[in-house]
Amino acid sequence: MKIQLWREFLDPYDLAVKELITKFEHLKYEHKARGLYCPIEEVSGRVKSVSSILDKLKKKNLELEQMEQELDDIAGIRIICQFVEDIEKVVSIIRFRADMAVREEKDYITNEKTSGYRSYHMIVDYQVQTLNGPKTLKVEIQIRTMGMNFWSTIEHSLQYKYKQNIPDHIKEKLCNAADAIVVLDREMSEVRNEIMDAQNSMQIRANIVTEILLTIQNLYAVANKRDVAKIQDEFYEVYEKDNLEKLIRFHKNLDIIAEGYKAQGIEFKVWQND
Ligand code: 0O2
């Protein structure tokens, strides 16, 4: 295939990856803006390189014409979660979305690969709009914990280095490391509530501070400047105490003052109500 044709062929996959990254990033944003714990920690994506496509076709004994039909991971999205429990949440989110249809799911967490590889894969149909009209493509979404991702990234590099023939003594070490990751994920799950509480408090604090600053900024435009400067000094005092309860109380009082001027910081309002 000529370079230009490869480009034409891969462009819609590139668009799909970009769109999906944006959509999953937006899900993260929505969770954070509402002060909700987000099961997605990180999202990335890539279009498979031409050489990697050719290698896979060769490995699977396939012709070029079969790649669209037979290769599931020309477009790939990777979602990293903090905890194993989050993976099921992300899977549910994807199953219920109207803009992607699940074709297949591969649970390499319950059914770990012999290599030690653990990850949850979903193959979805996703539609993009191109100059030639709508095009539905297959996208592989890999969902895994940070620990699983660490292991598979290292193992993938070794597979590349040793051309799939990793020496036995390294394989053994990788198997031990895979077992250690299982233990690590389990231990982290046991303190999940503690960690989530801490992270939620941090997020709530950050949202409140942003909202307070926005309100103060709005008040500057409509209220007596000296009064607003006093409020700002009070805010710094409360802020330095590093006490969430006090910050929440300050925020509520500020809201009452701002209401009189219709000067509330509305941008981050949603988190309080849910
Ligand atoms: P790359 O370089 O990441 O793109 P199948 O048709 O189902 O028999 P397929 O299509 O390889 O086989 O599906 P599978 O087994 O679900 O693997 C899809 C992708 O998962 C792989 O793509 C890897 O990214 C990842 N993966 C699967 N097994 C392993 C493993 O043992 N170690 C690591 N590190 N990753 C794995 P590619 O094209 O193989 O690689």
Side-chain angles (χ1 to χ4, degrees), residues 49 57 81 92 106 130 160 180 188 191 194 201 203 213 224:
S49 66
L57 288 174
C81 306
S92 297
K106 299 180 191 173
T130 72
Y160 182 78
M188 285 301 172
V191 285
E194 296 282 324
S201 300
Q203 190 57 50
L213 291 176
N224 178 299

Side-chain angles (χ1 to χ4, degrees), residues 53-62:
I53 292 176
L54 293 174
D55 287 349
K56 198 151 185 172
L57 288 174
K58 198 168 154 198
K59 195 175 112 193
K60 293 187 163 216
N61 237 335
L62 296 168

Side-chain angles (χ1 to χ4, degrees), residues 2-259:
K2 283 190 199 141
I3 291 290
Q4 189 50 34
L5 290 181
W6 272 109
R7 222 169 264 157
E8 257 173 49
F9 173 75
L10 292 177
D11 268 353
Y13 289 92
D14 187 48
L15 178 59
V17 167
K18 283 181 183 143
E19 285 187 12
L20 285 168
I21 291 178
T22 304
K23 287 180 175 185
F24 286 116
E25 286 290 356
H26 194 266
L27 262 178
K28 270 179 72 177
Y29 161 77
E30 273 187 295
H31 278 86
K32 285 195 173 158
R34 290 173 189 224
L36 298 171
Y37 172 78
C38 182
I40 298 172
E41 177 65 18
E42 217 180 287
V43 186
S44 59
R46 61 98 184 96
V47 174
K48 212 173 178 65
S49 66
V50 173
S51 70
S52 183
I53 292 176
L54 293 174
D55 287 349
K56 198 151 185 172
L57 288 174
K58 198 168 154 198
K59 195 175 112 193
K60 293 187 163 216
N61 237 335
L62 296 168
E63 301 297 325
L64 263 185
E65 301 70 48
Q66 294 173 281
M67 70 181 158
E68 189 171 351
Q69 192 68 29
E70 299 295 330
L71 299 192
D72 295 337
D73 65 341
I74 297 177
I77 296 290
R78 188 166 293 160
I79 296 179
I80 308 298
C81 306
Q82 296 193 89
F83 306 102
V84 181
E85 290 77 2
D86 297 338
I87 295 175
E88 188 49 46
K89 294 220 169 74
V90 176
V91 170
S92 297
I93 291 174
I94 293 172
R95 282 187 193 139
F96 282 105
R97 282 191 73 106
D99 55 351
M100 45 193 102
V102 179
R103 264 178 174 258
E104 200 185 339
E105 296 187 22
K106 299 180 191 173
D107 182 356
Y108 297 130
I109 298 174
T110 314
N111 310 301
E112 183 179 309
K113 283 201 163 187
T114 42
S115 59
Y117 179 73
R118 286 160 71 236
S119 185
Y120 199 98
H121 293 189
M122 299 177 92
I123 316 295
V124 301
D125 279 333
Y126 180 75
Q127 194 181 72
V128 288
Q129 304 298 320
T130 72
L131 261 184
N132 303 325
K135 185 166 173 58
T136 301
L137 310 164
K138 284 189 283 182
V139 179
E140 182 186 75
I141 307 177
Q142 301 183 339
I143 310 154
R144 51 175 80 149
T145 63
M146 291 164 157
M148 295 173 194
N149 192 49
F150 174 53
W151 184 93
S152 72
T153 306
I154 303 287
E155 198 257 4
H156 193 271
S157 319
L158 290 170
Q159 271 188 33
Y160 182 78
K161 176 174 175 186
Y162 292 106
K163 313 258 179 296
Q164 317 287 335
N165 294 313
I166 301 179
D168 283 345
H169 71 283
I170 297 182
K171 265 192 196 155
E172 197 189 323
K173 290 218 183 301
L174 284 170
C175 278
N176 293 341
D179 291 344
I181 301 281
V182 174
V183 175
L184 174 76
D185 276 338
R186 202 178 303 137
E187 300 270 320
M188 285 301 172
S189 289
E190 276 167 23
V191 285
R192 181 168 177 260
N193 285 343
E194 296 282 324
I195 299 171
M196 278 169 58
D197 272 358
Q199 290 174 346
N200 267 353
S201 300
M202 267 166 64
Q203 190 57 50
I204 288 173
R205 186 170 181 269
N207 285 1
I208 293 179
V209 168
T210 308
E211 202 172 320
I212 288 174
L213 291 176
L214 258 173
T215 306
I216 292 177
Q217 198 179 320
N218 292 348
L219 276 173
Y220 260 114
V222 289
N224 178 299
K225 303 235 171 341
R226 211 173 310 148
D227 291 345
V228 183
K230 239 173 90 186
I231 291 174
Q232 192 169 318
D233 290 343
E234 278 172 36
F235 162 66
Y236 286 131
E237 247 176 65
V238 176
Y239 181 78
E240 269 169 20
K241 290 206 172 91
D242 200 16
N243 179 322
L244 189 58
E245 295 303 314
K246 285 195 174 136
L247 202 62
I248 291 173
R249 220 171 306 131
F250 178 86
H251 177 237
K252 277 190 183 147
N253 290 338
L254 182 65
D255 239 12
I256 295 167
I257 298 171
E259 219 174 287

